[in-house]
């Protein structure tokens, strides 16, 4: 299983709609997300463990998925001497 950083954008004024939708349809995921709305940053952030990027995206309400990024992240081993970057498409 991989780990993904989810960044979901919504517009100013949609905050309550987003919260209500999470409560009604995605309540299990609501506690995974943190919101920047009170600081003027209208994004929801979460770390999600999932088998794929597509599976990670299921944590976000359907109407927000077109404004959401799922970024595969990993933890670096402090003993490693080299950091290897591989280019992958970002879906």
């Amino acid at each position: 299983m991989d780990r993904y950083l989810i960044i979901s954008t919504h517009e100013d004024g949609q905050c309550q709609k987003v919260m209500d939708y999470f409560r009604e349809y995605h309540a299990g995921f609501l506690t995974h997300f943190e919101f920047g709305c009170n600081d003027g940053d209208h994004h929801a952030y979460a770390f999600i463990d999932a088998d794929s990027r597509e599976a990670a995206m299921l944590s976000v309400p359907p109407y927000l998925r077109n404004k959401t990024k799922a970024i595969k992240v990993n933890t670096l081993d402090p003993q490693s001497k080299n950091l290897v970057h591989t280019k992958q498409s970002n879906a």
Side-chain angles (χ1 to χ4, degrees), residues 10 14 17-19 21-22 60-67:
H10 60 275
Q14 287 186 318
K17 179 180 177 181
V18 170
M19 297 292 175
Y21 191 93
F22 264 106
V60 178
Y63 76 96
L64 292 174
R65 289 181 192 155
N66 64 338
K67 295 181 179 183

Side-chain angles (χ1 to χ4, degrees), residues 13-48:
Q14 287 186 318
C15 306
Q16 191 61 52
K17 179 180 177 181
V18 170
M19 297 292 175
D20 291 344
Y21 191 93
F22 264 106
R23 277 190 204 99
E24 189 169 344
Y25 299 105
H26 278 68
F29 285 108
L30 181 59
T31 58
H32 290 71
F33 281 86
E34 297 186 34
F35 295 83
C37 305
N38 288 339
D39 197 32
D41 177 82
H42 298 282
H43 294 86
Y45 300 94
F47 284 100
I48 301 290

